[in-house]
Amino acid sequence: MTQAIDLVDVKSTPERSASHVRLVGVVSAAHFVSHYYILLLAPLLPFVRAEYGVSYTEIGLALAAFNIVTATLQTPTGFLVDWLGARAILIVGLLIGAVAFVVVGLVDSFWVLVAMFGLAGVGNTVYHPADYALLSHHVPSGRIGHAFSFHTFAGMLGSAVAPASLLMMQNVWGWRGAFIGAGALGFAVAGILLAVRDNNPASPPVAQPRAVNNKSPVGWRLLLSAPILLNLMFFALLALMSGGMYNYSVVALGALYGTPVTTANVALSSHLLLAAIGVLVGGAAATHTSRHGLVAALGLGAITLLTLLIGIVDLGSLLLIAAMTVCGFFYGLIMPSRDMIVRDITPPGSFGKVFGFVTTGFNIGGIVSPLIFGAIMDHGSPRLVFMLVAAFSLIAIVTVTTLPRRAT
């Protein structure tokens, strides 16, 4: 029989509260950088393509390299997080991404750009396993829902800020200067993370030993257990849903109802804005209830009904914007509960590998989604875009409602 440690919350002191608030802030800043880097090429693509004289397919190699490397190495990085420590790995990942994009700005070579996006994919592997491990270890259980919500909100903010700020830098310094400026952002956050230390982690001040069967799953046995695989599937389904809605709703609405592009984009923008607000509300919900699966299921049910309504009925401009807006709110609402579900089934000491593994579902969904929804639009079936998003949402409900409470 081996011994494990059951972690028991202790009363928070002002010093400990200030310490974990600083940590949440800097980890959220790292998540901001992660999403900023994911969108780095999109607004600058016309300028890069024109300078190098390459096709869209060729420049797509850079994005493919980034995503393939991330999907392949994120789980092994999770093992490193549990072994070497999340903070050190997060700092290294930030520096790798920053160096890669500075090199893109300094070196005049298209194939160096492709290679550096592959290297940036290595840096991108650290964010989910390291961020969630740091938050899970250092934030008291009574506040972890809020911490997860601010973390997710910061990522959304990075996505929202990236296009305008990159184009602003491009106008002043050119696209190479924009890449170097983005790299400087990564260096700055790495420096802040290096300076911020949490001397009062929430995890171990008071601990009670708990006997654990030595056959409890560890390593890959843990990752291939049913609860973890169901979470992987859940994350992939969420990525498929968002991929269909975010990337294809505008063109699908135009083809289905003749919705003007301006109206459809306003609806999508409102959807994204309310998703960010929903994340903060979801953080409060995740803090005040332990029934995270129920919160996720109710939110997914609302998404299913609203998506079906949008796909079946021509609502007109105002009702369409309203339906997309409310749908976005529920997208955001379920995210903190999504993270809490994973945290609740993860044994202590395995947060890095588990979060690294299940969030690979984002990459799986991101790779598969364009193939599915692109084929649907190519075959002239825009209504099926919304029907399929609703179907993925229903399957996700089944996934969260059948999850066992523990992975061991």
Side-chain angles (χ1 to χ4, degrees), residues 176-250:
R176 294 184 183 279
F179 268 88
I180 294 171
L185 176 65
F187 284 124
V189 174
I192 295 171
L193 185 60
L194 193 61
V196 171
R197 294 183 178 274
D198 188 352
N199 297 318
N200 296 293
S203 300
V206 178
Q208 301 295 331
R210 173 175 58 90
V212 177
N213 190 303
N214 59 9
K215 293 185 179 179
S216 296
V218 295
W220 283 101
R221 283 185 59 228
L222 169 65
L223 299 185
L224 297 178
S225 62
I228 305 302
L229 289 176
L230 281 171
N231 270 288
L232 174 69
M233 182 179 179
F234 182 42
F235 275 67
L237 288 165
L238 292 177
L240 287 167
M241 291 163 56
S242 59
M245 188 65 78
Y246 296 171
N247 297 323
Y248 293 91
S249 62
V250 172

Side-chain angles (χ1 to χ4, degrees), residues 23 85-92 130 134 192-198:
L23 186 74
R87 185 169 167 274
I89 296 296
L90 183 55
I91 291 171
V92 170
L134 281 167
I192 295 171
L193 185 60
L194 193 61
V196 171
R197 294 183 178 274
D198 188 352

Side-chain angles (χ1 to χ4, degrees), residues 366-377:
I367 293 168
V368 173
S369 174
L371 302 177
I372 296 175
F373 290 103
I376 287 173
M377 290 304 300

Side-chain angles (χ1 to χ4, degrees), residues 282-305:
T287 298
H288 290 94
T289 181
S290 61
R291 304 185 69 180
H292 308 300
L294 177 61
V295 173
L298 291 175
L300 288 164
I303 292 170
T304 302
L305 294 175

